[in-house]
Amino acid sequence: MQEDMEYNIRFVGSYILDKTLGVGATGKVKLAKHSRTKEKVGVKIIKKDLFYDKPSLRLKIQREISVMKLMFHPHVIKIYDVLEDSKYLFLIIEYASKGELFNYLVEKRKLENREALKFFHEIISGLEYCHKHRICHRDLKLENILLDMKLQIKIADFGMASLSIPNIMLKTFCGSPHYASPEVVSNEPYNGIKADIWSCGIILYALVVGKLPYDEENDNMRKLFNKIRFEPPRIPRIIHPDCRDLIRALLTINPQKRITIDKIKKHPWYKSSPLPESCRISIQNLSFASVQNPISNPDPEIISFLLPLQLVKDKKTLCGILSTKKPSFLRVLYRQLEWRKMKMDSVRSNLINEANFKRKKLFKQGKLGNITGLKYWKNLKCKFLSINIKSFVRTGIYIYF
């Protein structure tokens, strides 16, 4: 860490930074460990200077944080906290130690039927959760699906995500061309949920065949898009017949005829192996009727995460809608954020209590090595306090920028 003079950060809140996991256009992602619970996390470090040159980037990150705050599922990457100092924004996210599904597939070339189905079960479970909470990912691809230490799926990178509002079609072309649906590459208004289903078909094809169904030499985008728009995928006959049938249903060119998640779950290939325990969680649709009670004193932190979704023009309008008895999509989102906040606080408290219990047990056993290690970190913090410790706040970034 000492060689990283540009960032020169050793601690972020309660987290001790370690090695760099990756470098992107907006900054670095570092591995970190909580000083008390020892939980490993990823810390995405973003320079605030970028927001002055690229206002659209600030909005994109605001929306990504707000969307991630809406979700809590075993197969969707979690965001634990958002911290900041005068120069940087820090996103504390779940750590997926086995990296991208893309790299895993490159190493194995292609997957056997049972392993591919296990991954597909978990992808569909996570995606169903997103869709039932009105969130379209819009950039599903092997690189944006991560694996944790148990090789469980974590859907990540919600930078292109959008809310699926009833009776409103999306228009923005986004995502990766090789995974984009025919209606998206045709620059037509599209349903984000149906576009995500197509991307799942591309992923499943890649898992069992070992390559993408649509590709073009020299990256000729015009030819690639024409293939996507007009040519059904060619699936090798060595692929299991039921799997071939599901891939065709997923990669149906007409979005109106494309298979839905409910029908995917009833498909013979999908049902040919028991669901993983993590995929058996019942997911309820967000209901307008269940959140009719007005919200007269909204939580400022939750408000700060609703505003970047740009469903209303300002805070006053938002609070006015929340305080009425009229059914509102915004109130549904508010209650979802409220529930998730309580859930995360509960998880954090459990981790701290567990860590404290283990520490007391070690001290009682007289394991002096642990005491020595604790003293080392305390001394290290004191040593670097004047130049490395930043002042942080838990942020509603819409307020502080």
Side-chain angles (χ1 to χ4, degrees):
M1 288 179 291
Q2 289 183 348
E3 74 276 5
D4 191 2
M5 297 305 293
E6 183 182 4
Y7 286 82
N8 195 29
I9 305 164
R10 290 176 175 81
F11 302 95
V12 176
S14 299
Y15 295 95
I16 304 163
L17 295 187
D18 198 344
K19 64 182 179 181
T20 298
L21 298 174
V23 180
T26 59
K28 293 190 174 185
V29 178
K30 284 184 168 288
L31 176 64
K33 183 184 290 187
H34 196 282
S35 59
R36 293 179 67 186
T37 67
K38 307 304 178 186
E39 180 188 18
K40 290 182 179 180
V41 297
V43 179
K44 189 173 183 179
I45 305 173
I46 303 166
K47 291 182 180 179
K48 287 186 176 181
D49 287 348
L50 294 172
F51 300 141
Y52 300 114
D53 300 328
K54 300 178 181 178
S56 60
L57 176 62
R58 176 173 63 179
L59 177 59
K60 178 185 174 183
I61 292 172
Q62 288 173 344
R63 287 175 60 85
E64 181 179 2
I65 292 170
S66 295
V67 166
M68 290 181 72
K69 282 282 187 179
L70 286 166
M71 296 181 291
F72 191 93
H73 188 272
H75 299 302
V76 177
I77 206 82
K78 295 178 181 64
I79 183 167
Y80 295 127
D81 221 335
V82 183
L83 305 173
E84 66 173 345
D85 67 4
S86 59
K87 294 183 178 180
Y88 302 101
L89 180 69
F90 304 92
L91 310 189
I92 314 299
I93 58 179
E94 188 175 4
Y95 175 50
S97 61
K98 297 299 182 181
E100 297 174 1
L101 182 57
F102 175 83
N103 293 329
Y104 183 83
L105 183 59
V106 167
E107 184 179 335
K108 300 197 82 172
R109 298 192 177 182
K110 65 177 181 179
L111 306 184
E112 296 299 326
N113 190 75
R114 182 175 291 275
E115 186 175 26
L117 179 52
K118 180 260 185 186
F119 284 151
F120 191 69
H121 277 155
E122 293 176 353
I123 291 168
I124 291 300
S125 178
L127 188 63
E128 181 184 29
Y129 178 89
C130 294
H131 287 177
K132 286 196 173 183
H133 287 77
R134 309 292 180 89
I135 295 165
C136 309
H137 189 283
R138 297 203 298 177
D139 195 20
L140 283 173
K141 57 183 178 180
L142 292 167
E143 294 90 334
N144 287 341
I145 296 175
L146 306 180
L147 298 170
D148 67 10
M149 64 181 298
K150 297 180 181 178
L151 291 180
Q152 292 182 324
I153 291 294
K154 301 287 182 180
I155 299 174
D157 198 344
F158 285 82
M160 299 291 182
S162 175
L163 290 176
S164 176
I165 302 173
N167 304 317
I168 295 180
M169 301 291 275
L170 301 173
K171 298 178 181 178
T172 305
F173 178 94
C174 61
S176 302
H178 294 84
Y179 293 81
S181 66
E183 61 272 24
V184 171
V185 301
S186 298
N187 202 25
E188 299 171 354
Y190 62 93
N191 181 308
I193 289 175
K194 294 182 183 294
D196 281 349
I197 295 295
W198 174 277
S199 300
C200 283
I202 301 290
I203 290 168
L204 178 57
Y205 183 104
L207 292 179
V208 296
V209 178
K211 64 178 183 178
L212 295 173
Y214 297 102
D215 208 350
E216 187 61 41
E217 292 183 5
N218 303 320
D219 290 331
N220 187 317
M221 288 297 107
R222 184 172 182 178
K223 288 185 178 180
L224 174 65
F225 289 172
N226 282 336
K227 282 184 177 181
I228 293 170
R229 292 168 62 196
F230 302 117
E231 296 182 17
R234 297 176 182 177
I235 310 169
R237 297 195 64 81
I238 60 170
I239 304 304
H240 190 284
D242 286 342
C243 184
R244 289 206 312 267
D245 182 72
L246 180 54
I247 291 172
R248 290 192 190 98
L250 291 161
L251 298 181
T252 298
I253 292 172
N254 184 343
Q256 302 305 320
K257 297 179 180 179
R258 197 171 299 152
I259 194 170
T260 63
I261 285 184
D262 285 341
K263 290 183 178 179
I264 290 171
K265 292 164 67 177
K266 296 174 183 176
H267 192 276
W269 187 74
Y270 189 89
K271 295 172 65 178
S272 64
S273 181
L275 283 174
E277 188 68 34
S278 57
C279 299
R280 298 176 191 175
I281 301 168
S282 178
I283 304 172
Q284 302 296 323
N285 282 310
L286 291 180
S287 171
F288 283 55
S290 66
V291 288
Q292 289 183 342
N293 293 333
I295 302 164
S296 54
N297 294 303
D299 185 324
E301 185 179 358
I302 297 178
I303 291 293
S304 71
F305 288 116
L306 279 175
L307 284 170
L309 297 175
Q310 294 187 306
L311 296 174
V312 291
K313 62 181 181 179
D314 55 34
K315 180 179 176 180
K316 183 178 179 181
T317 305
L318 173 57
C319 292
I321 292 172
L322 293 176
S323 64
T324 66
K325 292 184 178 181
K326 186 178 178 180
S328 166
F329 182 47
L330 280 165
R331 194 181 296 113
V332 172
L333 296 179
Y334 180 94
R335 292 301 187 195
Q336 176 61 18
L337 283 166
E338 185 178 55
W339 176 87
R340 191 208 186 268
K341 183 179 178 182
M342 290 188 293
K343 190 77 173 177
M344 288 304 302
D345 286 344
S346 174
V347 169
R348 190 178 291 109
S349 295
N350 288 340
L351 286 170
I352 291 172
N353 290 337
E354 183 180 342
N356 287 337
F357 175 79
K358 287 181 179 178
R359 184 176 294 167
K360 287 178 182 178
K361 187 176 180 180
L362 289 170
F363 285 179
K364 284 182 180 179
Q365 292 173 352
K367 294 193 176 180
L368 299 178
N370 292 283
I371 299 173
T372 304
L374 185 62
K375 288 179 178 178
Y376 168 77
W377 280 113
K378 285 182 176 179
N379 291 336
L380 189 65
K381 286 184 181 181
C382 292
K383 181 179 178 181
F384 292 115
L385 183 65
S386 62
I387 58 172
N388 288 310
I389 301 295
K390 311 282 186 175
S391 58
F392 294 101
V393 292
R394 181 175 294 178
T395 174
I397 60 170
Y398 193 89
I399 295 174
Y400 291 108
F401 284 174

